[in-house]
Amino acid sequence: SQQGEEDPQALSIQEGENATMNCSYKTSINNLQWYRQNSGRGLVHLILIRSNEREKHSGRLRVTLDTSKKSSSLLITASRAADTASYFCATDDSDSNYQLIWGAGTKLIIKP
Amino acid sequence: KAGVTQTPRYLIKTRGQQVTLSCSPISGHRSVSWYQQTPGQGLQFLFEYFSETQRNKGNFPGRFSGRQFSNSRSEMNVSTLELGDSALYLCASSRDNYGYTFGSGTRLTVV
């Protein structure tokens, strides 16, 4: 079963612009992770934010977590064509017992 | 370092057949998880192994099974294939279950 929803389902922006994707989840979590997937291939781990963290940065990525609203956002700054991919959030909640529960993903298209 | 290796990359099988997929985790990673990805259901958890023990299993029928060997390599088996089993099967390994490294997947088509 899927934990939550991602918003928007699809996003198309110009190269150089910032892209923001949102993820909502349902249960209490230990951590939330963001992954990227190119064209139905394997998933690449981008960033992990723990439940006691509110913001985390990694290069051009900025992730926020609001546990009171059970939501997270992923910001990609200065987007590049190579950022075109699907982005998924996954939660590791206290009851999940070694499994990740996934959102439906946001398909991001960067136009040159 | 070598990543997670899944074999084969592509597979076409006929309904009723069985299939075995293989996953070699990153050296030193003892946790191996399997996920099924389909356009309709998204990513769904199949099972997770640690040191040859299955620690958790998702909500899939008994036709889906797996195992892990002493070298942490893992296999999953699907018996009596159905058309709905067509999917991308992803394997992930982890050292400590904080952040997973995924393989490129095996795309299974059942005809």
Side-chain angles (χ1 to χ4, degrees):
Chain A
S1 62
Q2 291 183 340
Q3 165 75 285
E5 301 171 0
E6 287 175 68
D7 167 46
Q9 288 187 325
L11 180 61
S12 180
I13 60 173
Q14 292 293 140
E15 194 168 19
E17 293 181 338
N18 295 341
T20 300
M21 290 159 270
N22 302 297
C23 166
S24 62
Y25 57 91
K26 297 175 183 172
T27 64
S28 296
I29 62 171
N30 293 321
N31 63 69
L32 185 145
Q33 304 174 36
W34 285 91
Y35 288 81
R36 183 186 73 226
Q37 185 178 41
N38 292 86
S39 301
R41 302 290 295 276
L43 293 140
V44 175
H45 181 257
L46 295 176
I47 197 164
L48 179 152
I49 186 165
R50 298 178 194 268
S51 60
N52 60 354
E53 297 176 310
R54 292 296 166 257
E55 187 172 312
K56 204 161 183 181
H57 298 254
S58 177
R60 295 184 296 114
L61 306 180
R62 173 178 169 252
V63 168
T64 61
L65 179 65
D66 186 335
T67 53
S68 67
K69 295 180 179 177
K70 291 187 167 57
S71 69
S72 173
S73 68
L74 171 67
L75 168 68
I76 303 174
T77 61
S79 63
R80 305 168 182 170
D83 295 329
T84 294
S86 291
Y87 291 81
F88 294 87
C89 69
T91 54
D92 180 359
D93 66 55
S94 53
D95 295 328
S96 68
N97 201 14
Y98 311 114
Q99 69 169 288
L100 293 175
I101 303 175
W102 299 83
T106 293
K107 187 165 187 176
L108 175 65
I109 296 172
I110 307 299
K111 296 180 286 186
Chain B
K1 60 182 177 183
V4 177
T5 303
Q6 289 189 248
T7 57
R9 291 289 303 278
Y10 302 93
L11 206 49
I12 299 175
K13 289 286 190 178
T14 304
R15 269 183 303 175
Q17 287 187 312
Q18 73 153 13
V19 67
T20 298
L21 311 182
S22 179
C23 172
S24 293
I26 288 175
S27 178
H29 286 193
R30 291 196 288 168
S31 169
V32 174
S33 305
W34 289 88
Y35 290 85
Q36 182 198 64
Q37 186 177 28
T38 60
Q41 298 298 316
L43 281 149
Q44 294 194 294
F45 172 76
L46 281 157
F47 18 68
E48 190 264 0
Y49 289 89
F50 184 88
S51 293
E52 302 179 66
T53 300
Q54 184 183 89
R55 295 197 294 189
N56 195 12
K57 187 178 192 301
N59 189 25
F60 278 82
R63 300 185 297 108
F64 290 80
S65 63
R67 59 179 176 169
Q68 187 181 34
F69 301 95
S70 58
N71 62 357
S72 293
R73 190 177 70 85
S74 177
E75 290 181 346
M76 67 163 282
N77 183 276
V78 188
S79 62
T80 320
L81 284 165
E82 301 176 0
L83 295 178
D85 297 334
S86 295
L88 180 66
Y89 289 89
L90 293 161
C91 164
S93 76
S94 174
R95 183 186 302 277
D96 53 12
N97 296 107
Y98 284 106
Y100 294 78
T101 302
F102 281 81
S104 296
T106 294
R107 186 163 294 282
L108 172 65
T109 302
V110 183
V111 298

